[in-house]
Amino acid sequence: MAVKREIQASVKDERLVEKRRNQMIRGAVSLFKEKGFHRTTTREIARAAGFSIGTLYEYIRTKEDVLFLVCDSIYEQVRKRLSSMDLEEGTLESLKLGIDHYFRIVDEMQDEVLVMYQEAKVLSNEALPYVLKRELEMVGMFEKLIKRCVENGELEISQEHQQLLAHNIFVQGQMWGFRRWALQKTCSIEDYIRLQTDLLFSGIKGFKAQVEVGG
Amino acid sequence: MAVKREIQASVKDERLVEKRRNQMIRGAVSLFKEKGFHRTTTREIARAAGFSIGTLYEYIRTKEDVLFLVCDSIYEQVRKRLSSMDLEEGTLESLKLGIDHYFRIVDEMQDEVLVMYQEAKVLSNEALPYVLKRELEMVGMFEKLIKRCVENGELEISQEHQQLLAHNIFVQGQMWGFRRWALQKTCSIEDYIRLQTDLLFSGIKGFKAQVEVGG
Amino acid sequence: MAVKREIQASVKDERLVEKRRNQMIRGAVSLFKEKGFHRTTTREIARAAGFSIGTLYEYIRTKEDVLFLVCDSIYEQVRKRLSSMDLEEGTLESLKLGIDHYFRIVDEMQDEVLVMYQEAKVLSNEALPYVLKRELEMVGMFEKLIKRCVENGELEISQEHQQLLAHNIFVQGQMWGFRRWALQKTCSIEDYIRLQTDLLFSGIKGFKAQVEVGG
Amino acid sequence: MAVKREIQASVKDERLVEKRRNQMIRGAVSLFKEKGFHRTTTREIARAAGFSIGTLYEYIRTKEDVLFLVCDSIYEQVRKRLSSMDLEEGTLESLKLGIDHYFRIVDEMQDEVLVMYQEAKVLSNEALPYVLKRELEMVGMFEKLIKRCVENGELEISQEHQQLLAHNIFVQGQMWGFRRWALQKTCSIEDYIRLQTDLLFSGIKGFKAQVEVGG
DNA sequence: TATGAATGAGCCTTCATTCAT
DNA sequence: GATGAATGAAGGCTCATTCAT
């Protein structure tokens, strides 16, 4: 929120800036989704937002600003929805629930996540670090969740493993979106959650072990 | 290989076409890596390839053809290098080795994989299905590897789990490239292979189990 | 007039569209006259019209649109000027006057008529029929003029002859422009009108007859 | 014939030059007919002629040379076929026959005449006068035909009328081609010859006179 | 504040012509 | 003589951005 203000607007009325930028973001997301950032023109963004090209440029400085705003807004939404997780409980069950929650969010915001995922990289060297920071922030939430399990004695993995696990969870969420062409043909989000949870928790050997124990 | 021929060239000499296209691909990959497909001009591609813009267009029809050629070439290289894996052995050890092998390939071809990964989506509706097919082909290799383990009694997981696991492995390879900004700061490829293998094979509970057993 | 609107402009203000297109047409006619449609660049058209290339494309979609606009405008002008003819009188004198009138218009609009005449054929299959329709419309005016004479008993020729005669008159008008290199060397427009009228009205045998009668 | 030699060829063997140029002309005519001079590429001409682009340029110096060759060849053909007319007889009948003959030639060579007619103007200032000269040469044949009638007392029209009449006949021949979209819908070449001859010989008043006399 | 006409740099692509083999 | 790969000037068109109203 504090960040949007970093993108300069000619218009002074902050409420108006907020409102116009939201219109803009909504329009842009659906356009970027359809044709990507580069194939979308500023005119199209303005039209989709419901105002003129002149007005658009009263609220941003360059086309790239729109992308930044879009990415920022999506991160913010995901983060906000994710923030209802209890990061502190420190049980495997809460971790499982966190994953379930995140995957469902990603499923619902599929288009947005996909857009951000595919277009964020075109952000300039000035804006990219900020976006990456936000991404790490979200990965950090999973790390926290995991670390609490370790602290709680529910899990015993090294810090390195914790970090990578957090990344894996984060990427597996995005993966549901960016590999939808393959995954979503045979699999519902429920299936996906169940299967990924199985693999994450039991691992390959875990399956084997279970069987052996059971046998 | 048979595919490149589908992109029409004005020049008849196939050897020359092969040679020029390789020059073109080499140049294009490094440009796409640096600035992405859309920000790269055809003139730059020609210059990087070592010939004139006119010559470039003797070997392709549109700029998009270059991207297709690049993607196809990278897939082909990865596939070729991957083909030395023994898909039939059916032991956990061979699966582990396969992953090790694949991750090292991805590490060495990081730039290429990154490019393909980030730009493939801009391919038109005509070319995209082909690219996706090639991707599934590679995922299929991991599926095969896994399935043989199951057939061999080394692993006991459902077909759904097998498929998703193959996707996970494939994506985790790419992830080493596209999240290098986070992963490669603290982690060598050896570390990455070791850690991912641990997580894949033991799972979260597996660690716990080991500890409990050991304690 | 209604037709120009069929060529899409990005600019909404219809008055402005009208004005800019007129600038465009004026510039284009003089360029097409000098070097033909194909050898004239869109940049040259823009410059001749007094605005930038970007602005040009705010008022048309393709270069061919300019040609269409030019042709349409010329037809419209000729038609408008021709419309002062009295098509109904039905005397040989009025026919003679009509021819006189038309030939003078063509003389004054020589460059325009020449341009249209030489370049209309490059219009695409979409636009050509419209242009031909307009041409037939003008031929139709002469047919009307002739037919009234017939109806009036001033003339007694078959419908086939009427039609062809109308075409002949129309083409002889254009001919004054497109064969100016030959005709206008020795002949003023007054001469041309007189001579063509003689030939049209008396025919070859007519002369003979007159002579014989007179002798 | 002597003219073709004016267009320089690298190849010395004159027989070969003649042969290759004929191939070239044949191919070019059909291409120009289809898409016009400007939209036809030299490569297409070469291909249509049955040899390579390199070879094409062994026999011409510029693309425009091809057009010149084409125009020259067509004029030559028409002139040759026209030369069987008896220009000296000096009867109205022979004039009528001449027209008949010429119109039939134009009908048979419609495409060629159309091409030449529409594209000749793009010839450079160097080549154009030559083409116009050839055209006047042909008009001159009709003038001769007419003048002999006058000398013979079969016709009594001024020299000015004679010249214009010759032009009219010439243009009416071409008109059969370039207005085919209108004329040939309802009219065979026989009809056209008959109707035009009627109009030329009797004139408008002639019809009336005939009727009056006949009445 | 809002508008939208104007701008022009820059992009992709074509094609006449050359020249080494 | 024949070939065809190479060249690069030039053309049509787009679109981010500005600015007067």
Side-chain angles (χ1 to χ4, degrees), chain B:
Chain B
M1 203 193 298
V3 178
K4 287 189 195 174
R5 229 167 280 144
E6 286 176 24
I7 289 185
Q8 293 195 18
S10 303
V11 172
K12 298 291 173 192
D13 181 341
E14 292 209 10
R15 258 205 224 301
L16 195 54
V17 170
E18 186 76 11
K19 180 182 157 195
R20 292 277 180 262
R21 285 187 173 174
N22 283 337
Q23 293 178 264
M24 191 185 308
I25 289 165
R26 231 188 317 276
V29 165
S30 89
L31 286 165
F32 292 171
K33 188 192 320 174
E34 186 192 331
K35 30 187 2 199
F37 175 73
H38 280 109
R39 296 207 205 273
T40 300
T41 69
T42 51
R43 275 180 168 75
E44 288 171 322
I45 296 170
R47 197 181 319 129
F51 38 69
S52 72
I53 182 66
T55 299
L56 181 76
Y57 275 88
E58 292 284 315
Y59 296 93
I60 52 162
R61 281 244 269 248
T62 68
K63 189 187 173 191
E64 207 191 286
D65 282 352
V66 179
L67 181 55
F68 184 85
L69 250 20
V70 162
C71 290
D72 191 53
S73 151
I74 296 172
Y75 273 125
E76 188 55 25
Q77 285 175 61
V78 175
R79 202 196 52 72
K80 209 176 275 175
R81 295 190 51 177
L82 220 45
S83 69
S84 68
M85 290 195 304
D86 182 358
L87 300 177
E88 299 294 342
E89 196 181 315
T91 60
L92 290 185
E93 205 46 40
S94 78
L95 176 55
K96 215 175 272 190
L97 267 166
I99 291 167
D100 182 291
H101 189 46
Y102 169 56
F103 282 13
R104 282 178 203 281
I105 290 170
V106 169
D107 180 54
E108 281 166 39
M109 296 184 61
Q110 238 172 94
D111 291 329
E112 285 79 4
V113 170
L114 199 54
V115 161
M116 195 196 60
Y117 190 70
Q118 296 188 326
E119 308 292 354
K121 71 173 184 313
V122 322
L123 285 171
S124 66
N125 291 332
E126 203 190 354
L128 194 55
Y130 169 76
V131 167
L132 297 182
K133 208 187 74 188
R134 300 221 60 173
E135 202 161 313
L136 276 188
E137 180 189 332
M138 290 175 58
V139 173
M141 296 177 75
F142 293 110
E143 253 184 278
K144 184 83 177 282
L145 212 52
I146 295 162
K147 180 187 267 174
R148 285 290 297 120
C149 291
V150 174
E151 289 168 359
N152 228 19
E154 293 267 315
L155 216 53
E156 208 148 333
I157 59 178
S158 74
Q159 218 201 316
E160 282 176 309
H161 286 98
Q162 288 171 43
Q163 280 183 3
L164 187 56
L165 183 57
H167 273 284
N168 282 350
I169 292 170
F170 185 72
V171 168
Q172 281 171 12
Q174 292 185 143
M175 178 177 152
W176 175 245
F178 71 76
R179 290 183 80 79
R180 63 164 98 168
W181 54 273
L183 301 174
Q184 301 191 19
K185 280 201 170 147
T186 58
C187 209
S188 69
I189 182 65
E190 273 79 25
D191 294 335
Y192 186 70
I193 292 170
R194 178 174 47 81
L195 294 170
Q196 287 290 32
T197 307
D198 286 347
L199 291 173
L200 278 168
F201 278 72
S202 302
I204 290 171
K205 284 196 252 175
F207 280 91
K208 179 68 183 163
Q210 288 175 333
V211 169
E212 278 173 344
V213 167

Side-chain angles (χ1 to χ4, degrees), chain A residues 144-166:
Chain A
K144 184 83 178 282
L145 212 52
I146 296 163
K147 180 188 268 176
R148 286 292 297 120
C149 291
V150 173
E151 286 168 1
N152 228 19
E154 292 266 317
L155 215 52
E156 209 151 331
I157 59 177
S158 73
Q159 216 202 318
E160 281 176 310
H161 285 98
Q162 288 170 43
Q163 281 183 2
L164 187 56
L165 183 56

Side-chain angles (χ1 to χ4, degrees), chain C residues 206-215:
Chain C
F207 280 91
K208 180 66 180 164
Q210 286 174 334
V211 168
E212 279 173 343
V213 167

Side-chain angles (χ1 to χ4, degrees), chain C residues 121-179:
Chain C
K121 70 173 185 311
V122 324
L123 285 171
S124 64
N125 291 333
E126 202 190 354
L128 195 56
Y130 169 77
V131 167
L132 297 183
K133 208 187 74 187
R134 299 223 60 173
E135 200 160 316
L136 275 189
E137 181 190 329
M138 289 175 58
V139 173
M141 296 177 74
F142 293 109
E143 252 185 277
K144 185 83 179 284
L145 213 51
I146 296 162
K147 180 187 270 177
R148 286 290 298 121
C149 293
V150 174
E151 287 167 0
N152 228 19
E154 293 267 315
L155 214 53
E156 209 150 333
I157 59 179
S158 73
Q159 216 203 317
E160 281 177 310
H161 286 97
Q162 289 169 43
Q163 282 183 1
L164 188 55
L165 184 55
H167 274 283
N168 282 350
I169 293 170
F170 185 74
V171 168
Q172 280 170 13
Q174 295 185 143
M175 178 177 151
W176 175 245
F178 72 75
R179 292 184 78 79

Side-chain angles (χ1 to χ4, degrees), chain C residues 204-205, chain D residues 85-86 89-104 142 145-146 149 155 169 193-194 196-202 210:
Chain C
I204 292 172
K205 283 196 251 174
Chain D
M85 289 195 304
D86 183 358
E89 194 180 318
T91 61
L92 288 185
E93 205 46 40
S94 77
L95 177 55
K96 216 175 270 191
L97 269 166
I99 290 166
D100 182 291
H101 189 46
Y102 168 57
F103 282 12
R104 284 181 200 280
F142 292 109
L145 213 49
I146 295 162
C149 290
L155 214 53
I169 293 170
I193 292 171
R194 177 174 49 79
Q196 286 292 31
T197 306
D198 287 347
L199 291 173
L200 277 169
F201 279 73
S202 304
Q210 289 176 332

